[in-house]
Amino acid sequence: MELRQLRESLMAVQQRSINLESLEERKKKELEFHNLHRDLAFAAGAPKDTYELLHGNKKYYSVVEKSHRYIDEWFQKHIPGKVFFDYACGNGEMAIKAASMGSALAIGLDISDVSVGNARKAAEKLGVADRCIFVQGDCENTGLPNGCADVILCSGMLHHLDLKHAFPELERVLGSGGRILCIEALAYNPIIKLYRLLTPSMRTEWEKNHILSMRDVRFAGQFFNFGEVRYWHLLSIMAVPFRNFMGFKPMLSLLGQLDDVVLRVPGLRLLAWQFTFELLKKPE
């Protein structure tokens, strides 16, 4: 599909509003949850204890430098000149990154109208609005044209969806020769599972019950071929309490090197906090 035709199709999708009454109850809860969590004015004015209840897990992202570097390198390799689709785009950071790295067009779709509004404002502010289109929509029924995306990013969002609908929809919108990078938490680490149990306000009921397992990955194999699978952040999580101290970076570097060894072991690597896996379009 030519870019002009794709833009026209996306504008039509953009003009269709979600029928809130027809949404399943779980999707209404996702919409409400993410509108609250992505309300920048609320976050800025919330008392510290309220903010901690909603966003206290953000401190753990102080240790994700290695996986972020891998993602940046993946973007540099696969995005220039391609149509990029950020599936459940949140506030649009990754679509904006793709546009700044030379994508032909960056598309973002999210169920949260607050998120989509934030993404559009950010794209305008950073001067890439002409290369980005953000749409409020249902990830399990996007309304996007068949085969319209060359590259798709699923970043921390598959566990919000019913994969019986999400994977077929991703396969439908992914073009010939296309690829998907999935970045997800893993379900197996008992300490991390306990943390999720003790912090219910940070997740929807559906989300906390659908953290990805390898069974979900195997299910994806019904629709896609597999590319590279990597496991991230096990021992490095121990550096989180020291993130504001002078020795944090050397400690994180050492623990990251140990992770490189430990996370090659088949059983131990399933205890990782996160993993990334590539899904490739099957030849027709």
Side-chain angles (χ1 to χ4, degrees):
M1 178 180 289
E2 293 182 359
L3 276 179
R4 179 184 58 80
Q5 292 175 307
L6 177 55
R7 283 181 176 275
E8 290 173 357
S9 295
L10 292 170
M11 293 304 293
V13 174
Q14 196 175 55
Q15 289 166 12
R16 293 197 297 267
S17 58
I18 286 183
N19 185 345
L20 296 179
E21 294 303 317
S22 68
L23 282 179
E24 296 173 49
E25 192 60 32
R26 66 178 173 88
K27 294 180 183 179
K28 291 178 182 177
K29 290 179 179 178
E30 290 284 337
L31 172 59
E32 180 182 2
F33 178 88
H34 287 98
N35 272 354
L36 175 63
H37 279 241
R38 304 261 172 73
D39 186 331
L40 301 181
F42 174 80
K48 185 176 180 181
D49 56 347
T50 302
Y51 184 89
E52 187 67 20
L53 278 173
L54 297 175
H55 302 285
N57 61 339
K58 289 189 180 298
K59 58 181 173 284
Y60 293 99
Y61 289 86
S62 61
V63 302
V64 299
E65 181 181 337
K66 292 194 81 162
S67 60
H68 279 193
R69 187 161 57 245
Y70 169 82
I71 294 162
D72 282 345
E73 291 170 356
W74 193 93
F75 269 42
Q76 290 165 7
K77 182 177 180 180
H78 297 294
I79 281 178
K82 304 293 187 179
V83 174
F84 172 83
F85 177 30
D86 190 354
Y87 189 62
C89 64
N91 289 334
E93 293 95 338
M94 301 307 273
I96 290 169
K97 178 192 283 284
S100 69
M101 294 175 72
S103 65
L105 180 66
I107 306 163
L109 182 142
D110 201 282
I111 198 169
S112 164
D113 54 310
V114 171
S115 299
V116 170
N118 291 342
R120 289 172 182 164
K121 289 176 185 175
E124 287 279 358
K125 183 176 180 180
L126 295 171
V128 295
D130 60 324
R131 284 166 277 158
C132 296
I133 295 180
F134 293 102
V135 181
Q136 185 189 17
D138 180 351
C139 280
E140 295 173 13
N141 183 21
T142 64
L144 270 59
N146 293 345
C148 66
D150 301 310
V151 179
I152 300 177
L153 177 70
C154 300
S155 180
M157 44 66 58
L158 287 173
H159 59 283
H160 292 274
L161 304 177
D162 185 336
L163 298 180
K164 295 192 303 293
H165 301 296
F167 284 145
E169 182 67 356
L170 284 165
E171 194 279 334
R172 185 186 67 78
V173 300
L174 184 63
S176 177
R179 65 181 61 229
I180 303 172
L181 178 63
C182 302
I183 308 159
E184 283 292 328
L186 262 170
Y188 300 105
N189 189 307
I191 296 173
I192 297 173
K193 288 172 75 170
L194 177 62
Y195 174 77
R196 293 186 187 116
L197 184 66
L198 295 175
T199 54
S201 60
M202 296 179 189
R203 292 160 202 89
T204 63
E205 194 67 28
W206 176 276
E207 175 186 0
K208 69 184 182 185
N209 291 322
H210 291 84
I211 305 300
L212 261 64
S213 68
M214 298 313 293
R215 181 176 65 179
D216 297 314
V217 176
R218 288 192 294 272
F219 177 58
Q222 296 184 27
F223 307 94
F224 304 97
N225 291 331
F226 290 107
E228 185 175 37
V229 182
R230 297 281 297 270
Y231 298 84
W232 307 96
H233 317 307
L234 176 56
L235 299 176
S236 54
I237 297 174
M238 294 191 300
V240 170
F242 305 96
R243 65 193 181 279
N244 296 320
F245 291 85
M246 187 178 298
F248 170 67
K249 286 195 173 183
M251 176 184 288
L252 181 60
S253 176
L254 175 60
L255 292 171
Q257 291 174 47
L258 293 173
D259 271 347
D260 289 342
V261 176
V262 170
L263 294 177
R264 292 194 185 102
V265 180
L268 289 178
R269 66 190 182 194
L270 293 181
L271 297 177
W273 169 26
Q274 297 179 4
F275 71 134
T276 55
F277 57 99
E278 287 183 300
L279 302 176
L280 311 177
K281 185 81 170 187
K282 289 186 176 182
E284 297 180 2

